Amino acid sequence: MSVATDIAVAARWDGKPPTSAEEILRRIENIAPLIRDHADAMEELGHFTPEVKQALSETGVYSMGFPREWGGPEVRIDDQIRILEALARLDGSVGFAVNIMADSGLYAGRLDRWVAQEIYPSMEMSTAGSFNPPGKAEVVDGGYRLSGRWRFGTGNIDADVILGRFRRHVDDVPQVDENGDPDLIVAWFPNKGIIRHQNWHTTGMSATGSCDYEISGVEIPASHSYRYADQFYASPDVPPLSRHYGTLTGNQVGVVLGVTRHALDLLYTHLDKAKTKWGSQVKASSYIQIKTAKIDAQYQAARAYALSTFGGITDSLLAGEELTTQQLADMQSAPVLAAELCLEAVNAVLDLVGATATLKSLPYDRVWRDLSAAIRHFYYREVHLELPGKHLLGIPVDMSQSD
């Protein structure tokens, strides 16, 4: 890259993204009425409305993972959880989609700065993509020729930048790495020319724009990619929050917390009828009081474990420390526990509300459908507890590539 080009590209990063989680949260609060008002329309569309898409781009949420050394806010992962919780509290689909789309800076941190600036002319650009199944990356002069089709590309309808995972091929022969495993890369490719299949027809998380997408014969420079295996290792050359794959997925726990918080909001509103005889009688019930306290405690326990876990991990990464086996174990366990506790809490809310919760005219139905869809994500599956369990039992375990 020439000096002149370098200066030109750098000039496109002269924006001033929010420098704190508090500022992003304040902006989200300002657009809360818009998100609530457009919830039904987005569910019908299957993705964001233009108004919500524009409003989200102005909150600074998409810039939050960019490194501070590049001029970004480098928002802590525990604060990212709070931000995504605030969005999912308004609408589950918005929270889930943004949790993927706001990883731009975390992905960009795997690249040289000047390459990141090529792909992201603005730090406010959102990213979407999917890793499974891997596409095909045929080695060509200076880069790759990419082809593939991916399922569940959350947010790809609304995102500015798209990526995918590929297996390297040389002369049409799939390659293996030094360990004999498939040689995989993560690569960015132009949004233009992507074929999208509008097949995201689900009961929950309906507005996340998670349809299949595909490309064929798209050529990119090799610099617009990185080795998939590299994201599991903490390298001192990589900006702190991009050093481990767990930071890419860790903020996702904010989604189930936010949906659960929404359910609690609905419950308190439902029971807050103290001025009526019915309301006073219901709130005076010891059963209602005990169940309400238990529901809130389940939510608070899930939240506390997640924030403590990813707060400690953020501290270690910012200090340049390697993550301990216990931290890696907690990184696996906290989201699974959160999903289980949140599901129990929301089920209990619906039990207290009774048949009213089944009415499509009320938001309880969407809360349940969104949470049910969210916890089906592989991130929350109980299988992730196996390695932490081995660690607790004193069985030697390599968690360096746990995801």
Side-chain angles (χ1 to χ4, degrees):
M1 190 179 221
S2 69
V3 173
T5 304
D6 186 48
I7 292 173
V9 172
R12 291 182 293 178
W13 266 19
D14 61 359
K16 296 183 179 180
T19 57
S20 69
E22 289 71 23
E23 174 64 14
I24 295 173
L25 285 166
R26 184 187 66 77
R27 295 184 184 188
I28 289 172
E29 185 176 354
N30 289 340
I31 67 169
L34 174 69
I35 293 176
R36 292 193 186 99
D37 289 346
H38 283 239
D40 290 340
M42 289 190 292
E43 185 161 48
E44 182 69 23
L45 281 173
H47 56 87
F48 297 162
T49 60
E51 294 84 356
V52 169
K53 180 178 179 178
Q54 178 63 32
L56 286 168
S57 70
E58 295 172 357
T59 63
V61 69
Y62 298 133
S63 73
M64 63 183 181
F66 278 91
R68 189 168 296 276
E69 63 188 88
W70 293 359
E74 198 171 67
V75 174
R76 297 172 55 90
I77 302 302
D78 46 330
D79 284 336
Q80 291 188 31
I81 289 173
R82 294 186 179 95
I83 289 167
L84 292 167
E85 178 186 33
L87 285 169
R89 186 176 183 178
L90 300 171
D91 183 82
S93 287
V94 170
F96 197 96
V98 171
N99 112 80
I100 301 295
M101 297 165 70
D103 284 338
S104 297
L106 301 180
Y107 280 117
R110 306 298 317 183
L111 304 169
D112 289 337
R113 177 172 176 167
W114 70 267
V115 178
Q117 289 174 319
E118 283 186 345
I119 297 173
Y120 297 97
S122 165
M123 289 187 185
E124 302 298 347
M125 296 175 70
S126 56
T127 300
S130 181
F131 284 0
N132 293 306
K136 177 182 178 181
E138 182 71 31
V139 176
V140 296
D141 186 25
Y144 299 104
R145 182 181 300 113
L146 307 177
S147 298
R149 174 167 174 164
W150 297 266
R151 300 181 64 208
F152 305 138
T154 299
N156 84 84
I157 291 178
D158 293 304
D160 301 304
V161 178
I162 309 296
L163 53 74
R165 186 171 65 160
F166 302 83
R167 185 171 184 177
R168 292 178 71 251
H169 286 64
V170 176
D171 295 330
D172 213 29
V173 177
Q175 302 297 292
V176 296
D177 62 18
E178 59 274 13
N179 299 315
D181 297 321
D183 192 1
L184 302 172
I185 63 169
V186 175
W188 287 257
F189 43 88
N191 206 327
K192 184 179 180 180
I194 295 174
I195 299 173
R196 292 181 170 88
H197 303 273
Q198 301 283 3
N199 57 356
W200 183 243
H201 307 298
T202 62
T203 55
M205 294 296 174
S206 302
T208 56
S210 303
C211 67
D212 289 13
Y213 65 101
E214 68 176 299
I215 58 173
S216 179
V218 174
E219 294 194 6
I220 65 161
S223 60
H224 287 202
S225 68
Y226 68 86
R227 293 182 69 243
Y228 176 67
D230 288 348
Q231 66 190 5
F232 297 102
Y233 299 97
S235 168
D237 298 327
V238 174
L241 299 187
S242 297
R243 290 177 188 163
H244 195 283
Y245 183 65
T247 56
L248 281 168
T249 56
N251 57 19
Q252 189 176 139
V253 72
V255 178
V256 296
L257 292 172
V259 174
T260 304
R261 181 68 255 184
H262 188 186
L264 283 164
D265 293 341
L266 295 172
L267 175 64
Y268 296 148
T269 299
H270 185 79
L271 297 177
D272 191 20
K273 298 180 179 180
K275 293 183 180 180
T276 68
K277 183 177 180 181
W278 177 88
S280 298
Q281 290 174 340
V282 170
K283 294 175 72 172
S285 164
S286 60
Y287 173 78
I288 295 294
Q289 294 164 0
I290 291 169
K291 292 293 288 185
T292 301
K294 183 176 180 180
I295 293 168
D296 185 76
Q298 288 173 316
Y299 158 73
Q300 296 291 352
R303 190 174 192 267
Y305 184 22
L307 292 178
S308 174
T309 293
F310 288 98
I313 286 169
T314 301
D315 289 340
S316 293
L317 291 173
L318 292 177
E321 301 169 352
E322 290 190 12
L323 301 183
T324 67
T325 301
Q326 185 60 56
Q327 285 177 311
L328 293 171
D330 287 335
M331 185 187 293
Q332 297 277 89
S333 300
V336 178
L337 177 69
E340 291 182 357
L341 288 176
C342 287
L343 180 61
E344 290 180 16
V346 171
N347 276 332
V349 167
L350 300 183
D351 287 343
L352 286 181
V353 175
T356 300
T358 65
L359 297 176
K360 285 188 175 182
S361 59
L362 297 178
Y364 294 103
D365 175 65
R366 181 180 295 138
V367 166
W368 162 246
R369 289 186 286 108
D370 283 348
L371 182 63
S372 180
I375 64 173
R376 297 301 185 277
H377 193 283
F378 183 68
Y379 179 59
Y380 300 109
R381 301 299 290 272
E382 198 172 52
V383 66
H384 288 300
L385 297 180
E386 181 181 359
L387 295 184
K390 287 181 177 179
H391 169 63
L392 292 171
L393 293 172
I395 300 172
V397 58
D398 178 11
M399 297 192 65
S400 63
Q401 293 198 36
S402 60
D403 61 356

